[in-house]
Amino acid sequence: MTAIHTPLTAEKPVAPRHVLMLATGAGFSVASIYYSQPMLGILIADLHTRIGLVGLIPTLTQIGYALGILLLAPLGDRHDRRGIIAIKGLLLTLALLLSAVSGGITMLLVASLAIGITATMAQDIVPASAALSPAAQRGKTVGTVMTGLLLGILLSRVLSGIVAEYFGWRVMFGVAAAMVMAITLILWRSLPAMPASTRMSYPALLGSMYHLWKKYRPLRRATLAQALLSVGFSAFWSTLAVMLHDVYHTGSAVAGAFGLAGAAGALAAPLAGTLADRHGPAIVTRIGTALATLSFAAMFLLPLLSPAAQLALIVVSAIGFDFGVQSTLVSHQSIIFSLEPAARSRLNALMFTGVFIGMAVGSALGSLALEWAGWQGVVALLTLAGAGSFIVRLLSPDTAQAAHAAA
């Protein structure tokens, strides 16, 4: 395998305004994946289609994101990341505009796939922030950018729920396009050129990812466990708006407001990192997967409660499983980054490919479960996915031993 040539390390600290700019770019781009979820109930009525077809919108978006991470992330080592970010930002803007003017479900599904592929500019912004930072500031800078990414996931549902209810879903996609275009222009004008770090050909880069996947068993275990959690996470969020609309007769603004429960995710990242440093990431993954599973299963109690108490329990469950999912994700990143430091971006790309495959599967299965078995069927799916992830982590060897394990 051709060696990877590491570029010179940045010496000057990154200006706070540039860190804020990178965090905003990561947030705006990844938010594009989630805008549709609180609007699904409105889309069913407006496009005169059924739950199963509308459920394909988040499914295709997540499939596109997985494909974009797997096939496009390696290009950051081969080409100037500044140019890649600009190109993806422009294409993401066009995909969002295509969604805004879609005349039917077919065009919207095509646009959703394109949104997922191009929204992976977030996966170029995060390593770009690391490349621009000196070693002493790198953790803080990347952490801030990741906070922006998490806030993009959190606030996207809130924003889209409100905008769609009061102004329409087409306006939401138009607003999203304007925000992405604005931050893309700012990034293009402000970021320095970032030379390629390797001369490996594109096929060789993809081949190196295959060898990494084959070599490291801890990578495969982490990916499987996080992907299973993602099935439950996505099945919940992709069906929540439809369930709330049908059962509680709420609008998209209420569905979007449930996204505020995702604040637990932003809180989980530093806490999980601290626990992993003190006790090791393996124990944190077991705690996180157990918490997510229990939070999913708690919703089996909904039929026993009053409507107000049911909504309260859904909020509490969302906080609990989001905390568990994000804690497990941070700990899994700690595990895989220790395997081969020179290949961290590719290791991360491999795990996130699995994560978004899980997201896509969760969206598809969640819609089918809701259509065929109602909300209790969705809860059963969530609980099975969480339990599967917990079993994978429970049966995994300790991280200290696993870090050196190969297939």
Side-chain angles (χ1 to χ4, degrees), residues 165-212:
E165 180 160 339
Y166 294 104
F167 302 100
W169 61 272
R170 297 182 189 276
V171 172
M172 183 60 246
F173 282 122
V175 169
M179 292 191 298
V180 170
M181 191 70 257
I183 195 62
T184 299
L185 291 174
I186 293 172
L187 290 169
W188 172 253
R189 290 176 60 86
S190 303
L191 291 179
M194 286 171 271
S197 61
T198 179
R199 294 181 179 179
M200 291 175 68
S201 65
Y202 178 66
L205 284 172
L206 292 182
S208 72
M209 295 176 73
Y210 168 76
H211 290 296
L212 289 169

Side-chain angles (χ1 to χ4, degrees), residues 24 60 106 129 166 180 213 221 258 293 312 326 373 386 390:
T24 303
L60 287 173
T106 301
S129 68
Y166 294 104
V180 170
W213 178 260
R221 288 182 182 272
F258 272 80
T293 304
Q326 296 299 339
F390 175 70

Side-chain angles (χ1 to χ4, degrees), residues 38-258:
M39 304 189 296
L40 296 180
I42 292 175
L43 288 168
I44 290 173
D46 197 43
L47 298 178
H48 307 291
T49 187
R50 58 187 179 86
I51 294 174
L53 277 178
V54 168
L56 288 175
I57 293 173
T59 300
L60 287 173
T61 305
Q62 289 146 3
I63 288 174
Y65 201 80
L67 289 173
I69 291 174
L70 181 64
L71 300 178
L72 301 182
L75 294 176
D77 290 333
R78 186 69 178 82
H79 300 283
D80 178 11
R81 276 200 184 94
R82 175 173 173 260
I84 292 175
I85 290 169
I87 292 171
K88 284 187 178 179
L90 176 60
L91 294 176
L92 177 56
T93 300
L94 294 175
L96 289 165
L97 288 174
L98 180 61
S99 295
V101 300
S102 294
I105 187 65
T106 301
M107 184 181 293
L108 192 55
L109 291 174
V110 172
S112 298
L113 180 65
I115 287 172
I117 293 171
T118 53
T120 54
M121 69 179 282
Q123 298 297 329
D124 297 296
I125 290 173
V126 174
S129 68
L132 293 171
S133 304
Q137 192 193 25
R138 187 166 299 136
K140 180 181 179 181
T141 301
V142 174
T144 303
V145 173
M146 284 299 297
T147 299
L149 188 147
L150 289 172
L151 288 175
I153 296 173
L154 160 66
L155 297 177
S156 61
R157 298 186 182 97
V158 181
L159 177 63
S160 66
I162 294 172
V163 172
E165 180 160 339
Y166 294 104
F167 302 100
W169 61 272
R170 297 182 189 276
V171 172
M172 183 60 246
F173 282 122
V175 169
M179 292 191 298
V180 170
M181 191 70 257
I183 195 62
T184 299
L185 291 174
I186 293 172
L187 290 169
W188 172 253
R189 290 176 60 86
S190 303
L191 291 179
M194 286 171 271
S197 61
T198 179
R199 294 181 179 179
M200 291 175 68
S201 65
Y202 178 66
L205 284 172
L206 292 182
S208 72
M209 295 176 73
Y210 168 76
H211 290 296
L212 289 169
W213 178 260
K214 186 177 179 181
K215 181 178 180 181
Y216 292 114
R217 184 179 299 169
L219 169 65
R220 299 195 298 273
R221 288 182 182 272
T223 302
L224 175 59
Q226 198 66 46
L228 285 169
L229 279 186
S230 298
V231 169
F233 181 88
S234 181
F236 175 87
W237 287 113
S238 63
T239 57
L240 179 67
V242 178
M243 185 276 288
L244 291 175
H245 181 271
D246 291 345
V247 177
Y248 300 98
H249 310 292
T250 62
S252 62
V254 173
F258 272 80

